[in-house]
Amino acid sequence: MLQKLFQLREHDTTIKQELVAGITIFFAAAHIIIVNPTILADSGIPFQYAMIATVLVTVIGSLLMGLYANVPLALAPGMGINAFFVYTLVQGYDLSWQMGLAVVIVSGVLLMVATFTPLAARLSDAVPASLKYSISAGIGLLLVMIGLQMGEVIVADAETLISLAPIDSPSLAFTIFGLLLILILYVKKVRGAFVIGLLLTTAVIYITGFGGEPESEPPDLGGYLGIFSAADFGGLLHAPFWMAVFSLTLLVLFDTLGLVHGLVPYNKDVSKVYKTSAINAGVSGLFGTSPTVLVVESAAGVAEGGKTGLTAVTAGFLFLTSFAVMPFISAIPEAAIAPILMIVGMSMAEKLRDIPGDFTEWFPAGLTAILIPLTYSIIDGLAAGFILYPLLKWATGRRSEVHPYQYVIALLFICNYVLLVI
């Protein structure tokens, strides 16, 4: 049954390989369960309910991605998009969090219009190869940056923004231990290298007495039903509501576009990925959270050998069980997760070497790859590349190399920033 459903033989994979890849995604992305509601709480959404919503939309999105699109990728509330929801949509446009959820739902409808028509595919085709490579590399470098910070290898510095952590930092030592361990297993092509390394590093941290205290309070599922579908559409006739819808739609659309080019295997039907992402983004508002996007940490599952939707389904079921094992998830040290993100990120950054040496190609692409990790924003990195690419082509008299849609994309990015300023 699994063979027929996911075409395992055609993808040259096995059930065991897919299960290990799904477990890897779950462990690498489990922090979202805690981080997302922590951010959303600043908008007024109760932490417990935001956590339940986070788990539910992640489960639904991952199952849809696996069963419909048959790709080894999970969906979860986007890091960065959740901050945009809180600090720009709710606080910036002076909306209640209930109105913010209504914005998410309306934005999801617009995204479905784009993805169920040729628009999304045409926008995707308009992206030049150099920017596609830079998106993948930039996402990889973002993962490296997240890993370095998560493992406290780098810390904030008042003069240089970031610097190396103190050499006697326990977290630094454990991160380096985990990194070396997983690297050795990875280059020796040991199946399950990431999961084995994570569990062994976690064990060492707790054996040496540096493990943290797990959460003990169970999620309040009964209370959550009281705010389910709490979206308030009272702002539909007011300009700030639609400005918020435009900004969020643009952000999620191009964030998804970037992630699709960076994560989806070349032999997959990206139209199904776009459709699934759009549907789940809208559903997110119904359940009580900011929009979902492809999980960047899915790259860890792909690196572990995941090739079909069975990987995503496995991750989805594990997220569902997280209600019962929440204390254990919260007990996984960040120093054990950080090495996985760093290794996967550096593997993705390899795409930089495929960018052509032509300066009009290299500069927009290179700046995109650099800005994604430095701004912690895929959308801001994309904006730099999409605005500069046609500009440089025009300046050098090579207008024929610019797809007409690229001008539209550049204009949309400019309009978005103008709306954020006014």
Side-chain angles (χ1 to χ4, degrees):
M1 179 180 175
L2 291 178
Q3 155 58 30
K4 184 178 180 180
L5 185 60
F6 298 107
Q7 302 174 323
L8 301 178
R9 279 194 292 272
E10 291 82 346
H11 288 85
D12 190 28
T13 186
T14 64
I15 293 176
K16 178 182 177 181
Q17 184 171 317
E18 297 295 303
L19 293 179
V20 170
I23 293 170
T24 301
I25 292 177
F26 173 71
F27 278 123
H31 63 278
I32 293 173
I33 298 173
I34 304 298
V35 175
N36 188 59
T38 299
I39 294 173
L40 292 183
D42 283 347
S43 72
I45 301 177
F47 176 87
Q48 280 276 336
Y49 304 150
M51 182 175 66
I52 295 170
T54 298
V55 172
L56 291 178
V57 297
T58 300
V59 171
I60 294 170
S62 299
L63 293 180
L64 282 174
M65 197 62 74
L67 296 171
Y68 174 63
N70 196 23
V71 293
L73 309 172
L75 282 171
M79 299 298 103
I81 292 178
N82 49 16
F84 183 85
F85 172 87
V86 173
Y87 305 113
T88 300
L89 295 194
V90 175
Q91 297 182 7
Y93 288 111
D94 197 24
L95 304 176
S96 66
W97 63 265
Q98 292 90 342
M99 285 186 178
L101 295 179
V103 169
V104 173
I105 294 173
V106 175
S107 174
V109 173
L110 296 181
L111 288 167
M112 281 185 265
V113 171
T115 55
F116 280 85
T117 62
L119 179 59
R122 288 176 180 172
L123 288 174
S124 178
D125 292 339
V127 180
S130 59
L131 288 183
K132 289 179 180 178
Y133 294 138
S134 72
I135 293 167
S136 179
I139 292 171
L141 293 174
L142 175 60
L143 282 175
V144 174
M145 178 72 81
I146 293 172
L148 290 171
Q149 290 186 313
M150 186 178 288
E152 296 184 27
V153 177
I154 56 176
V155 293
D157 186 281
E159 296 182 358
T160 62
L161 297 183
I162 57 174
S163 65
L164 189 66
I167 201 68
D168 59 349
S169 165
S171 181
L172 173 63
F174 290 126
T175 301
I176 293 175
F177 168 81
L179 179 63
L180 294 176
L181 172 62
I182 298 174
L183 272 175
I184 292 170
L185 296 173
Y186 185 69
V187 297
K188 291 176 71 68
K189 301 187 185 303
V190 175
R191 183 65 63 193
F194 293 145
V195 175
I196 294 171
L198 181 143
L199 294 177
L200 287 177
T201 304
T202 298
V204 169
I205 293 173
Y206 274 90
I207 289 171
T208 54
F210 286 94
E213 289 294 326
E215 299 286 339
S216 58
E217 186 178 351
D220 181 12
L221 293 172
Y224 167 72
L225 296 177
I227 71 157
F228 179 78
S229 189
D232 178 5
F233 292 89
L236 273 173
L237 300 179
H238 302 286
F241 183 92
W242 288 102
M243 290 170 64
V245 168
F246 173 79
S247 297
L248 184 63
T249 303
L250 187 67
L251 175 65
V252 176
L253 177 62
F254 286 103
D255 198 84
T256 301
L257 184 148
L259 288 165
V260 165
H261 286 302
L263 298 175
V264 178
Y266 70 92
N267 60 340
K268 292 296 184 179
D269 182 358
V270 296
S271 67
K272 290 185 176 181
V273 177
Y274 280 124
K275 291 173 184 176
T276 303
S277 296
I279 292 171
N280 214 58
V283 167
S284 299
L286 183 67
F287 277 80
T289 180
S290 54
T292 55
V293 293
L294 291 173
V295 176
V296 178
E297 290 85 353
S298 294
V302 175
E304 194 61 83
K307 296 180 180 179
T308 73
L310 182 54
T311 292
V313 170
T314 301
F317 274 116
L318 288 174
F319 274 104
L320 183 60
T321 64
S322 64
F323 285 125
V325 297
M326 199 69 72
F328 299 100
I329 295 172
S330 65
I332 299 174
E334 292 189 335
I337 302 171
I340 298 175
L341 303 183
M342 293 161 63
I343 294 170
V344 172
M346 287 305 299
S347 298
M348 295 177 67
E350 189 179 13
K351 288 290 184 181
L352 284 171
R353 68 181 183 182
D354 295 324
I355 300 174
D358 181 340
F359 191 76
T360 62
E361 300 279 342
W362 171 253
F363 188 82
L367 193 60
T368 294
I370 291 172
L371 284 179
I372 287 175
L374 291 185
T375 62
Y376 257 65
S377 169
I378 295 171
I379 195 73
D380 288 332
L382 288 176
F386 278 113
I387 292 172
L388 282 175
Y389 188 89
L391 180 63
L392 293 182
K393 292 297 183 182
W394 265 70
T396 53
R398 297 157 64 179
R399 302 173 187 176
S400 61
E401 297 179 22
V402 181
H403 191 288
Y405 273 46
Q406 290 177 35
Y407 298 117
V408 177
I409 295 172
L411 182 61
L412 286 173
F413 275 119
I414 293 171
C415 289
N416 181 58
Y417 287 117
V418 170
L419 284 175
L420 292 177
V421 171
I422 61 176

